[in-house]
Amino acid sequence: PQILTVNSAALQNQSITFGSLAAKTFGDASFSLSASATSGLGVTFSSSNGDVATVTGNTITIVGAGLTTITASQAGNATFNPAPNVNQTLSVNKANQTITFNTLAAKTFGDAAFTVSATSTSGLPITFSSANTAVATASGSTVAIISAGSANITASQSGNSNYNAAS
């Protein structure tokens, strides 16, 4: 009998091509990623910050404003070594918001306190203030008339980690 020895071939190296990612804004639609490995094997993606973006397959879903690193990887197989990971930064900006606050009806000194309401496109709570507290005060969503005159009542929303302050 004779012994046959089969030497294994050296694994081939591979690399990944994964371009930069355009900045997004909180509220933008999910989008697809694209990358390729020189081996022709499939590339997988991951996000370093699940509070900013999640990855399912090659689809990114934006979940908050901030920064995350999207990593493209290829683990290799019986022919190819694992490819060096390629990282790209995804920047998700805060979204703008607007307030809808209808015109207030004229009031007369002696009228009862009244409720005001406004909405923001973000759904975040609105606060109210009076520019002339000698005429009217705002507490929560209630405006109390103090004396005759005029007072601008302002509806505001300061924003949060995902939304800029409303104007």
Side-chain angles (χ1 to χ4, degrees):
Q2 295 189 8
I3 298 175
L4 173 64
T5 302
V6 179
N7 294 321
S8 62
L11 294 179
Q12 297 177 34
N13 290 328
Q14 62 172 325
S15 61
I16 296 172
T17 301
F18 179 37
S20 62
L21 301 171
K24 299 291 183 179
T25 300
F26 177 72
D28 282 356
S30 297
F31 63 98
S32 295
L33 295 169
S34 178
S36 61
T38 54
S39 64
L41 297 171
V43 175
T44 59
F45 301 97
S46 62
S47 171
S48 68
N49 187 345
D51 291 334
V52 173
T54 59
V55 178
T56 304
N58 71 334
T59 301
I60 288 195
T61 301
I62 296 169
V63 295
L67 296 174
T68 186
T69 299
I70 304 299
T71 301
S73 58
Q74 207 313 303
N77 64 10
T79 306
F80 291 94
N81 284 313
N85 289 343
V86 177
N87 296 322
Q88 295 292 350
T89 300
L90 174 63
S91 176
V92 179
N93 299 311
K94 290 181 178 185
N96 291 325
Q97 61 173 324
T98 58
I99 294 174
T100 301
F101 185 30
N102 294 328
T103 303
L104 299 176
K107 297 291 180 178
T108 301
F109 177 66
D111 283 354
F114 60 99
T115 302
V116 292
S117 66
T119 58
S120 68
T121 54
S122 67
L124 295 171
I126 304 292
T127 58
F128 299 94
S129 61
S130 171
N132 186 349
T133 56
V135 172
T137 60
S139 176
S141 62
T142 302
V143 174
I145 299 168
I146 306 301
S147 68
S150 65
N152 285 327
I153 305 298
T154 301
S156 57
Q157 207 314 302
S158 59
N160 65 8
S161 61
N162 292 324
Y163 288 95
N164 291 313
S167 36

